Amino acid sequence: MINFKGFTPYPEEFARQYRKQGFWKDKTISQIMEESFNRFSGNTILISDSGRRYSYEEFGKLVTRLALHFHILGLKEKDRVVLQLPNVPEVLIACLAIIKAGGIPIMALPPHQEAEIGYFTQFAAARAIVIPDLFKKTDKQAMAANIMAQKNSPLEMAFVLGDNVQNGFHSIDALLKDPIEKRENPDILPQPDPDMPALLQLSGGTTGVPKLIPRTHNDYVHNFTCNADMCELNQNTRMLIAIPQEHNFALACPGFMGLVTQGGCQIISQNPSPKAALSLIQEHKITHWVAVPAMIISLLNYQDRNQFDLSSLEVILTGGSKLNPEVAVRIGKELHCDLQQVLGMGEGPLFWTRKNDPQEIKLDTQGRPQSKGEEFRIVDPITEEDMPDGDVGELWCRGPHTIRGYYNVPEHNLKAFSDDGFYKSGDLVRLHPSGNIIVEGRIKDCINRGGEKISAEEVENHILAHINIDNCSCVSMPDPVLGEKTCVFVTLKNGASINLNELNSFLENERRIAIFKMPERLEILDELPLTNVGKVDKKTLRDRIARQLAFEAEN
Ligand code: OOB
């Protein structure tokens, strides 16, 4: 019996089936990683964009070393640790070290600010945080110190990457240089139950504040090994990742973890720009590029693209937001490489197109489940009946790497999961006659900004804290590259005024939310349109801003 408060385990009969069918191997992530560190010891595992390189053996030693330091400094089994580092090798070393020390990393994203990090820390009672000294212009140590100073803050330890580590915080560089393994035996590290949560991912687009997604060792190992198969990775694979490494796509779909099971090499980059991608693809003879559609569009439209040699590129792995079929066609024609689409979710479900699928399926669909154990339904969200084949409905999923509940939100879980354990994705899809699915839209109230998910309600609650604002509603507006951006419609208090700059500086400085969540357009109305049940009519607002943008583009 798993003893972890707030976690919804898989029901016994499903767990038994998943073991029997070989989906669950009863090994921890650390065990699987170590098998690879030994097996591929001389291969290069990781190269940073500044040229730092690690062999499997070296990398494995650093993970063990940092795990021992965490343990000796007091990190205990099941302790939650907020992990927030940019795309540098240490983000992966620290992630695996926390897991190896028995801790549970909360996979925060680099742009998150005090509002988000403070919330995760409190909500999950995190005892430790791993941060850079500075990220862009933000002083992350000041952020951690503020969170620690809050009343009843659970946060006790901060581990900092960078040169200017403040008093009382631990320097990651110093720990990585100190060979503690000569003094302490790695056998002292705990051996978690593979049915225990190994890490907490963040939900993309549920209502309100982000939910935490507990992924168990068994489910995650199945997730990334299956993924590595799906993308046919091997020892010659050279995979470029410039999306945030903490994100499920970059970490395990197939991501770093999947790649490591096959002995390949990852190039980790902090720069998502097309120019950086082009030069890294050329320099490192990249075979697999992991990119959200917005990055592909920017690269296709990059003027000097033809000056780079992209002949090594075998395939682009893309997901996170909808890939336009017209863009999909350009990939083959202009970049001369293959394409695999994934509809993925932090909650676990993964649909992939396969390399040997017919062209029509690769270009027009988002694939079918990767795991033989994944079940899905397409339902009418109101009646919860299955839709006739080919009709649009909500996608529900259940399987050996799909969670049964978010962390510690029992009320919300009653709505987000069906009685028989299907995760209600909030995505609207239809079934293609081939058995693949096509994403048609969503019913969840979020904005998908180039793959970055923004909960409308979360941002609205911050905006409503502004004294000039009476009411507000955030909706998506179309964008040619990012797909969607946030537009906020506001009504003002009597005689008050506001513009976008004033609002965003309030959100940045007073509310301290991540910049990517800030509205990129503000529209002032006398009143917000309402539906006949009295809710804000977001469809009318979305149509209105889309029409307005189309009009502005023409004039
Ligand atoms: C990935 O995960 P999340 O948790 O950030 O976002 C999940 C949501 C999905 O529910 C869907 O609304 C959207 O992102 N999405 C797509 C998509 N892939 C994800 N919408 C249309 N087409 C696609 N191909 O985004 C994620 C996780 C693992 C691998 C890849 C992406």
Side-chain angles (χ1 to χ4, degrees), residues 135-319:
F135 178 71
K136 304 222 163 131
K137 280 177 287 167
T138 313
D139 178 349
K140 289 286 173 179
Q141 299 191 88
M143 174 191 80
N146 286 346
I147 296 172
M148 271 182 188
Q150 281 165 12
K151 205 169 154 224
N152 298 330
S153 174
L155 198 60
E156 295 168 37
M157 293 181 269
F159 298 91
V160 181
L161 186 66
D163 298 329
N164 300 308
V165 179
Q166 83 179 46
N167 241 342
F169 288 0
H170 302 281
S171 155
I172 295 178
D173 288 325
L175 297 177
L176 285 173
K177 283 191 188 121
D178 173 11
I180 188 172
E181 66 280 6
K182 297 200 174 132
R183 313 188 291 276
E184 304 286 347
N185 187 335
D187 291 346
I188 60 174
L189 296 172
Q191 283 289 346
D193 184 325
D195 283 337
M196 262 292 292
L199 68 159
L200 291 164
Q201 278 287 357
L202 308 184
S203 73
T206 51
T207 44
V209 286
K211 309 287 181 288
L212 299 176
I213 302 171
R215 303 296 302 264
T216 69
H217 290 272
N218 263 328
D219 112 55
Y220 222 48
V221 168
H222 177 50
N223 183 99
F224 63 74
T225 47
C226 204
N227 244 308
D229 249 18
M230 197 61 26
C231 300
E232 301 177 26
L233 308 186
N234 59 45
Q235 289 194 59
N236 298 321
T237 303
R238 298 173 73 83
M239 184 186 281
L240 172 61
I241 297 189
I243 59 176
Q245 189 63 63
E246 286 94 343
H247 191 274
N248 189 36
F249 190 13
L251 191 63
C253 306
F256 178 74
M257 290 182 174
L259 184 62
V260 167
T261 63
Q262 300 304 312
C265 172
Q266 180 183 313
I267 285 68
I268 185 172
S269 165
Q270 296 189 65
N271 187 344
S273 75
K275 184 162 182 219
L278 288 162
S279 48
L280 289 169
I281 292 169
Q282 171 174 287
E283 180 186 349
H284 295 288
K285 301 202 167 28
I286 296 299
T287 57
H288 292 59
W289 181 36
V290 176
V292 293
M295 292 160 78
I296 303 176
I297 297 170
S298 303
L299 185 133
L300 282 166
N301 295 343
Y302 188 73
Q303 256 190 347
D304 296 331
R305 170 160 58 79
N306 290 334
Q307 291 171 12
F308 294 86
D309 175 7
L310 306 184
S311 58
S312 60
L313 198 57
E314 290 169 15
V315 59
I316 298 177
L317 308 178
T318 192

Side-chain angles (χ1 to χ4, degrees), residues 389-458:
D389 279 357
D391 283 8
V392 173
E394 187 187 6
L395 177 65
W396 288 15
C397 302
R398 177 172 80 177
H401 57 61
T402 292
I403 58 162
R404 292 301 188 122
Y406 292 104
Y407 174 60
N408 223 359
V409 283
E411 292 293 311
H412 179 77
N413 285 339
L414 291 175
K415 287 180 271 166
F417 294 82
S418 70
D419 294 343
D420 54 356
F422 279 82
Y423 166 60
K424 303 178 179 178
S425 75
D427 289 317
L428 291 174
V429 304
R430 79 185 152 86
L431 196 64
H432 185 266
S434 60
N436 293 278
I437 61 164
I438 299 176
V439 179
E440 295 288 358
R442 70 177 92 92
I443 49 174
K444 52 190 168 191
D445 189 12
C446 78
I447 294 122
N448 189 335
R449 185 184 186 279
E452 283 182 307
K453 314 303 176 328
I454 302 164
S455 155
E457 188 187 325
E458 181 189 0

Side-chain angles (χ1 to χ4, degrees), residues 76 158 249 270 327 457 467 485:
K76 298 201 181 61
F249 190 13
Q270 296 189 65
V327 178
E457 188 187 325
I467 47 164
K485 285 182 174 174

